[in-house]
Amino acid sequence: MRYLWWLTRRQPWRVLRGSLLGTAWMIGLSARPYLIARAVDDGLRGRDTGALAFWVAAIVVAGVALSFLGTMRHRTMTFIREDAKARSAEVLLRHLSRIGSVLPRRVASGEVSTIGGSDIDWTAQVLTLTGPGVGAVAAYGVIAVVLWSISPMLAVCVLVGVPAVGLVVGPLLRRLERAESIYRRQQGALTARSGDIVAGLRVLAGVGGRGLFASRYAARSQELRAEGYRVGAVISWIDAATVAIPGLFLAAVVWLTARMAVTGDVTIGELVAVYGYVATLIVPVWFLLEGSHQLIRGRVAARRIIGLLTVTADDVGGPGRRWSAPVPEARQPEALAVPAGPADLYDPVTGLTVRAGRLTGVAADDPAAAVALADRLGRYVVGDTTWGGVPLAGIALDEVRTRILVADHDSYLFAGTLRDILRAGAADGDDPVHAAVRAASAEDVVDALPSGLDTPIDSRARNLSGGQRQRVRLARAVLAEPEVLILVDPTSAVDAHTEARIAERLRVARAGRTTVLIATSPLLLGRADLVAHLSGGRITATGNHADLLDSDAGYRHLVARGSDDPDPEPADTEGAYR
C-alpha cells in the first residue's frame, strides 16, 4: 500500500484534477434524474409547454456537459495510469541495472518478466480509485441526501443497501487475493522454466532430454491452468455480483417508490427521479466494486514489485532488506576511500591474497566454492573482503564495478553487431578490438562471419557455437581493460590448442595488471605467476604450477584431468601437456 501511495504522490495535481473531474461527472449523473422529474411534473403534468421546453433544454445541456466531463475524466485517468506505469518501469530498470549480475542469482528471469509486464500494469490500474473512486463516494452521499428530501425511508434503504453489497462481495475479494497471489507466483515460476528450456534447448536435444522437460513443462502448465480456472471462478462470481446485486437493489427501491406513488406519498415526477437516482447509483457502486477488485490485484502486484526492489547488490545469499524508504530507491551509505592505485585483494574466507599487478591462478576442487570466491572478490556477495586494506563492502559500488570485473564464461550476450558487442563502453577505433580478439584467440570467429565485425549477432549469440561465444565473452572482458579482471573458467568450451594460445596471449595482454584465473586447466595455470589450491573452502597451498604438481597430490590429481600420468610434463612453449 505504501508503494501504491508513493505512485499517487508522484503526480498530486493530476490526481487532484482526476478526483475533481470524477466527482463532478458522478454528481452530474444524478442531476439528470432531477431535471427529468421537473420536466414531468412542471411540463407534462402541468401542461406547460414553456416549462417543458426549458427543462428539456436543460437536459440537453446537462448531457453535453456530462459528455465533456466524462471525456476529460477518462483522459486524465489515462495520463495518471500511464505515468504510474512509466514510473514503476523506471524504478525497476534503474534498480536492476544497479544490482547487475546479482539479479539472476536471486530472481528467475521469468519472474522479472512477469513483474516488468503485467504487475506494473496492475499497480497502475489501482490509481483509478483516485478519480472515479473518489467521485463514487461523493455521488453516493449526494444521492442519499437528495433521496432524504423525497423520502427518509428511501434514503435509509440506499444508505443501508449499498454497504450490504460490499458485505456480500467482500469475502469474494479476500478469496480472490489469495488465489491471485498463488496464480501469479506459479506463473512466474513457469515463465522462468520456459526460459531455461529455450536457453538450454541444444543441450537438452543433445542428451535426449527434450521430451522429458517438455512433458514436465506441460504438467506444470496444466497446474497453472487449473489455478487460473480457480481465479477465473472467483472473478466470475464478483462480476456477477457487481451486476446482479445492484440490479436487485434497484428493483426493490423502485417497487417501494411505486407503492408510495400509488398512495400519493410521492409524485409521478419524483417516482421517475427516484428510479433515475438509484439507476445512477449503480454506476458509482460498480466503480467501487471494480476498484476493490483492482485494489486486490494491485496489492498482489505491488508486493511482487517490492520483493524485486528489496534485492540489493549487498545481500546476495541472504534475505533482502525490507523496503522502508519513502521512495523505492535504496539509500547508499557513505563510501570509504578507494585505493588510489593497484592494490591487493584479500579474501579472509579462503585466505587468498591476490597480489596487485600479477596473474594469479586459483584451482578449486569445488566449483561452487570457486564461484563464491569470485562473487566475494567482485562484491556480488558482501563479506569481509578487503582491497588495499579497505573493506570492499564500504567502497562505492560504481567504483567497484568500474575497476573490478568478474567475467563469467556464460555471461549474457546482447544482440547487435560483433563490433558493438565487443566495444560496449570502450573507446572508438578497431585497433583495441582487434587486440582483444587476438588475446582471446578469436580471429577465426571474426574471419568466419560474413561481414566480420559488422556481422549481426543474435541475442545470446545463438548463431555462434559454444566455443565461439566463450571467446567473444573473453575478448569483451579483455577489451574492457579493468584494473582487476577475474575470469571464471574462461576456456571450458575450447580445444587444447586454442586454450594454449589463449593462456599465452592473455598473459601478454594483461601484463602489469591484476588478473585472477579461476580454473583447473593446466594450460592456464601453467602461465600464472602464482597458483593457489582451494580445497575444502580454504587455500591449502600456493606456489607456481610446477611446484604444486610436485608437492601437492590433491592439486596434481585436480589438474591432471583424469590422466593416467600423475606427473605431466610440459610438451611445448605453448604450455600444453601430454
Side-chain angles (χ1 to χ4, degrees):
M1 294 301 295
R2 292 181 61 199
Y3 182 80
L4 296 173
W5 176 237
W6 175 80
L7 289 176
T8 303
R9 290 189 295 111
R10 293 303 91 190
Q11 40 182 338
W13 296 112
R14 187 179 291 150
V15 168
L16 177 61
R17 184 166 66 250
S19 300
L20 294 176
L21 289 171
T23 300
W25 179 68
M26 287 283 188
I27 294 177
L29 293 176
S30 61
R32 289 187 299 179
Y34 171 79
L35 298 176
I36 294 173
R38 302 302 303 170
V40 170
D41 284 342
D42 297 347
L44 294 178
R45 296 185 66 201
R47 299 182 183 278
D48 187 340
T49 305
L52 179 62
F54 173 79
W55 290 115
V56 167
I59 293 171
V60 173
V61 171
V64 173
L66 282 174
S67 297
F68 174 77
L69 287 174
T71 300
M72 297 304 297
R73 174 198 65 80
H74 190 276
R75 181 184 180 189
T76 302
M77 295 313 302
T78 300
F79 275 119
I80 291 174
R81 288 191 294 267
E82 293 303 314
D83 182 277
K85 290 180 187 178
R87 202 172 296 275
S88 290
E90 179 185 5
V91 168
L92 279 174
L93 288 174
R94 185 188 303 120
H95 183 70
L96 297 183
S97 64
R98 181 187 301 123
I99 61 179
S101 296
V102 168
L103 183 64
R105 293 172 169 85
R106 292 295 305 274
V107 184
S109 58
E111 186 78 0
V112 177
S113 176
T114 54
I115 291 174
S118 55
D119 287 328
I120 284 180
D121 183 71
W122 283 120
T123 55
Q125 292 294 332
V126 177
L127 269 66
T128 300
L129 288 171
T130 64
V134 173
V137 175
Y140 168 61
V142 169
I143 291 176
V145 171
V146 173
L147 286 177
W148 188 276
S149 65
I150 297 175
S151 170
M153 183 176 64
L154 293 176
V156 170
C157 289
V158 171
L159 291 173
V160 174
V162 173
V165 175
L167 292 176
V168 173
V169 179
L172 292 174
L173 293 174
R174 289 191 293 271
R175 182 181 174 188
L176 174 63
E177 182 172 16
R178 292 192 298 269
E180 187 78 23
S181 297
I182 296 173
Y183 177 77
R184 300 295 296 150
R185 185 169 57 251
Q186 291 185 359
Q187 186 182 42
L190 187 62
T191 304
R193 172 165 293 195
S194 66
D196 293 340
I197 291 175
V198 171
L201 196 58
R202 291 184 179 179
V203 177
L204 292 176
V207 299
R210 185 162 51 185
L212 175 62
F213 276 82
S215 61
R216 289 181 179 178
Y217 181 82
R220 292 293 297 272
S221 297
Q222 297 298 323
E223 295 174 5
L224 180 64
R225 185 180 66 174
E227 193 63 39
Y229 284 158
R230 281 190 283 272
V231 174
V234 179
I235 293 177
S236 66
W237 280 106
I238 293 175
D239 289 344
T242 301
V243 176
I245 296 178
L248 294 174
F249 176 66
L250 172 62
V253 173
V254 170
W255 177 80
L256 181 62
T257 308
R259 292 182 60 85
M260 295 174 65
V262 170
T263 59
D265 294 333
V266 297
T267 66
I268 298 299
E270 290 174 332
L271 169 63
V272 174
V274 168
Y275 171 81
Y277 291 140
V278 180
T280 300
L281 193 61
I282 291 180
V283 177
V285 169
W286 182 87
F287 267 109
L288 289 175
L289 293 177
E290 180 68 16
S292 300
H293 182 191
Q294 291 174 346
L295 180 61
I296 293 297
R297 285 189 162 181
R299 284 180 58 189
V300 173
R303 192 175 300 128
R304 289 161 56 84
I305 292 175
I306 293 299
L308 187 54
L309 290 175
T310 55
V311 178
T312 70
D314 294 336
D315 63 0
V316 178
R321 290 199 302 265
R322 183 174 179 82
W323 180 71
S324 58
V327 297
E329 295 184 17
R331 295 188 178 95
Q332 298 295 329
E334 185 176 352
L336 300 177
V338 66
D344 294 349
L345 276 169
Y346 174 66
D347 176 43
V349 175
T350 60
L352 174 68
T353 298
V354 178
R355 298 299 180 187
R358 302 184 69 182
L359 177 60
T360 302
V362 178
D365 55 8
D366 182 4
V371 173
L373 172 63
D375 286 342
R376 288 192 298 272
L377 293 178
R379 197 182 145 184
Y380 291 108
V381 173
V382 173
D384 297 325
T385 306
T386 61
W387 188 20
V390 180
L392 192 62
I395 300 175
L397 186 60
D398 290 345
E399 188 73 20
V400 175
R401 292 289 178 264
T402 300
R403 298 175 63 181
I404 301 177
L405 172 62
V406 179
D408 195 305
H409 71 280
D410 195 31
S411 57
Y412 195 91
L413 292 173
F414 290 94
T417 65
L418 182 57
R419 176 184 285 103
D420 292 336
I421 292 173
L422 293 174
R423 201 173 56 189
D428 292 336
D430 284 345
D431 289 343
V433 175
H434 289 301
V437 168
R438 173 174 170 75
S441 190
E443 303 99 317
D444 61 317
V445 178
V446 177
D447 294 340
L449 295 174
S451 303
L453 291 174
D454 294 318
T455 302
I457 304 298
D458 295 342
S459 177
R460 293 184 179 270
R462 292 191 178 94
N463 52 339
L464 300 179
S465 68
Q468 290 174 328
R469 286 195 295 268
Q470 193 170 65
R471 284 180 284 165
V472 168
R473 293 186 182 99
L474 178 57
R476 181 178 61 177
V478 172
L479 186 60
E481 296 185 344
E483 183 178 318
V484 179
L485 177 58
I486 302 169
L487 299 171
V488 182
D489 214 3
T491 58
S492 59
V494 301
D495 59 75
H497 295 290
T498 303
E499 189 174 29
R501 287 193 299 271
I502 291 174
E504 177 63 25
R505 295 175 182 180
L506 185 62
R507 179 181 177 86
V508 174
R510 293 289 301 173
R513 284 175 290 187
T514 307
T515 306
V516 181
L517 284 172
I518 300 178
T520 57
S521 165
L523 303 175
L524 295 177
L525 298 174
R527 290 295 177 180
D529 297 318
L530 180 71
V531 179
H533 181 201
L534 178 59
S535 179
R538 296 288 298 177
I539 298 299
T540 58
T542 58
N544 62 46
H545 175 62
D547 290 342
L548 290 181
L549 285 176
D550 291 336
S551 61
D552 190 337
Y555 177 81
R556 183 167 58 248
H557 176 74
L558 178 63
V559 302
R561 295 183 173 181
S563 172
D564 293 335
D565 182 2
D567 189 12
E569 294 292 338
D572 53 41
T573 57
E574 294 291 342
Y577 287 83
R578 296 186 184 93

